[in-house]
Amino acid sequence: MEDCIFCKIIKGELPSYTIYEDEILKVFMNIDPSTNGHLLLIPKKHLVTVLDIDQNFISHALEIIQKKIYPLLKEKLNCEGLTISQNNFYGQEVKHFHIHLTPRYQEDLVEFSYNKEKLLDIEEVYQKLVN
Ligand code: 5GP
Ligand code: ZN
């Protein structure tokens, strides 16, 4: 993809602080981190959302997170947890699939905010989902 910033990072046309890469994926630092060590994990192939991703990629990504990334964040930054998140379509700023790896620390104040006023009754939503 010509004008995709993450494809440019993969090709080396834009700089990035790379933490890990192999033939399938790349892990680099988020330019606008929510916490110290906030990373992005992306496929080297230009894929857009979770609907484009295959199970082999997820399985490989999981192995890299478990064996390399989490231990690194724990050892070097002494994080107390790791929040893994991923936006599709709405809320997705960069249209190249990416997984946020956000190390968590006491009182980091990271939160997923939402509008409670707009929520339907749980029962009503359940009925929509199962009928
Ligand atoms: P999204 O909102 O799409 O889930 O997250 C996109 C993320 O990409 C944002 O957290 C943003 O800080 C990060 N980002 C956007 N442009 C760049 C860039 O050029 N380099 C890096 N390293 N991160 C970027
Ligand atoms: Zn791309």
Side-chain angles (χ1 to χ4, degrees):
M1 281 290 283
E2 305 269 296
D3 53 0
C4 170
I5 50 171
F6 287 178
C7 280
K8 285 186 177 156
I9 283 175
I10 286 160
K11 285 188 241 156
E13 293 169 9
L14 280 177
S16 69
Y17 291 106
T18 300
I19 300 298
Y20 172 85
E21 75 180 309
D22 58 30
E23 65 284 357
I24 294 165
L25 59 79
K26 183 176 180 92
V27 181
F28 58 102
M29 298 192 71
N30 191 326
I31 204 166
D32 182 20
S34 303
T35 65
N36 291 327
H38 182 171
L39 306 176
L40 297 171
L41 182 157
I42 65 175
K44 289 211 159 164
K45 234 167 107 180
H46 180 85
L47 300 166
V48 182
T49 73
V50 69
L51 301 185
D52 306 313
I53 293 291
D54 68 32
Q55 290 183 13
N56 290 337
F57 176 81
I58 294 296
S59 167
H60 181 61
L62 183 61
E63 189 176 18
I64 298 304
I65 293 166
Q66 290 174 333
K67 296 196 175 145
K68 296 189 187 293
I69 304 299
Y70 183 73
L72 180 78
L73 294 170
K74 182 78 194 151
E75 186 194 332
K76 300 290 176 69
L77 300 180
N78 199 27
C79 66
E80 289 162 85
L82 179 68
T83 294
I84 300 178
S85 60
Q86 194 269 313
N87 296 310
N88 299 282
F89 306 107
Y90 187 79
Q92 181 178 6
E93 177 202 325
V94 179
K95 307 299 185 203
H96 181 127
F97 183 87
H98 52 281
I99 297 173
H100 291 261
L101 303 171
T102 313
R104 300 300 304 274
Y105 307 90
Q106 284 284 329
E107 293 168 12
D108 61 24
L109 299 183
V110 171
E111 64 175 320
F112 188 74
S113 60
Y114 56 96
N115 185 354
K116 251 190 173 169
E117 306 285 308
K118 285 184 80 175
L119 293 182
L120 303 173
D121 182 69
I122 288 175
E123 171 74 18
E124 193 178 334
V125 179
Y126 175 71
Q127 291 305 331
K128 280 178 191 280
L129 290 173
V130 296
N131 289 312

